[in-house]
Amino acid sequence: MEKDLVVAQKIKSAPQRSKLILGAIVIVAVAVAAILVVLSSQSSISDGAFDYSQIPQGRRDDGGFVLGDPAAPITIVAFEDFLCSHCQRYKSTVDELISQYVAKGMARFEYRFTPVVDPAYSRLSAQLAECADTLRPGAFWNAHDRLFELASARRFNDSSARNFAEMMDMSYADLLECTRDAAQVDIDSQYATRLEVRGTPTVFYQIGEGMPQLTPYSNQPNIEQLGTLIAQFN
């Protein structure tokens, strides 16, 4: 009788053990998936948002940095500061713009340095971006992503230039030497003044070689508004 009772208890507890084992497997699987997602997102950040080598790159006559097909009918022009928290949040919109429209030849994206947050470090971050391209032609847009990543993750300070050099796998000494003569930030600042830019980010659009115009939406149009604007000229 006791044996029958023990057997019955074992049979009864078997499904419970199975449920516990299954639950443990599910928990482990979820944990592993979460870790993989984190690692994947870190990798995508460290590798940059895009393979910029697959998108045409250029500079305006005054040195302004432009991304996208020169034949695109419209250029979205953004006046930004890497240290600006609003610009850091707007970066996701810029990424969507590049992915959905610039990479497909429907628009170009032009970045203009507009140092407004900190007199020294905003200027330095702009010079580092320019110098990355000077020392390694074609590196500007990866530098653009790295500087936003760096400024978003921590406060920009005296060690940030060295951190940037490590992120870009470039010589810290060469970057600092280059910043002594890097003047694109001054050209862009003067341009911003002529267009009466009063804050960052401020987004304009330009058709051909005409004068940039503020978008009909706001200084920070969302991706749907940018898409509507771009569609008018494609």
Side-chain angles (χ1 to χ4, degrees):
M1 190 71 178
E2 286 184 8
K3 289 183 180 180
D4 292 340
L5 183 58
V6 170
V7 170
Q9 289 175 338
K10 287 183 178 180
I11 293 173
K12 185 178 180 180
S13 63
Q16 296 177 339
R17 287 199 301 272
S18 297
K19 289 180 180 179
L20 290 174
I21 293 172
L22 180 59
I25 291 173
V26 170
I27 292 172
V28 171
V30 170
V32 169
I35 292 171
L36 289 175
V37 168
V38 171
L39 291 175
S40 175
S41 64
Q42 291 176 340
S43 175
S44 65
I45 291 174
S46 63
D47 291 341
F50 304 97
D51 180 2
Y52 289 110
S53 66
Q54 301 302 310
I55 307 175
Q57 302 179 38
R59 298 187 70 170
R60 293 289 196 182
D61 291 341
D62 68 354
F65 289 92
V66 189
L67 183 70
D69 187 346
I74 181 173
T75 301
I76 304 300
V77 186
F79 290 81
E80 298 189 273
D81 182 339
F82 293 117
L83 277 60
C84 160
S85 59
H86 296 292
C87 300
Q88 292 162 12
R89 288 192 290 272
Y90 196 66
K91 175 68 165 52
S92 61
T93 299
V94 171
D95 287 347
E96 289 184 85
L97 169 69
I98 294 172
S99 176
Q100 295 183 33
Y101 301 103
V102 176
K104 296 176 182 177
M106 299 173 66
R108 303 176 83 194
F109 178 64
E110 181 175 331
Y111 185 89
R112 292 287 182 164
F113 303 121
T114 316
V116 297
V117 174
D118 185 282
Y121 291 132
S122 292
R123 180 181 175 81
L124 175 60
S125 65
Q127 290 173 317
L128 289 171
E130 180 185 359
C131 284
D133 192 77
T134 299
L135 297 175
R136 185 188 298 158
F140 173 78
W141 293 101
N142 282 325
H144 164 276
D145 288 353
R146 295 290 194 272
L147 284 161
F148 268 122
E149 177 187 341
L150 183 62
S152 298
R154 68 205 74 160
R155 185 172 179 177
F156 211 88
N157 53 41
D158 290 338
S159 65
S160 297
R162 189 179 295 278
N163 293 335
F164 174 72
E166 292 175 356
M167 295 169 80
M168 294 294 294
D169 192 24
M170 301 180 79
S171 165
Y172 171 65
D174 289 347
L175 278 169
L176 284 190
E177 178 67 23
C178 173
T179 60
R180 296 179 182 181
D181 301 314
Q184 187 62 42
V185 61
D186 298 318
I187 295 171
D188 289 358
S189 295
Q190 292 167 11
Y191 190 29
T193 299
R194 291 199 303 274
L195 292 175
E196 300 183 348
V197 173
R198 304 191 184 283
T200 55
T202 296
V203 178
F204 290 76
Y205 72 98
Q206 183 177 16
I207 305 303
E209 297 301 322
M211 281 295 295
Q213 305 289 325
L214 283 170
T215 74
Y217 306 105
S218 70
N219 287 354
Q220 303 172 41
N222 60 39
I223 191 60
E224 289 78 16
Q225 292 167 335
L226 288 172
T228 299
L229 180 62
I230 292 168
Q232 295 177 24
F233 300 95
N234 277 270

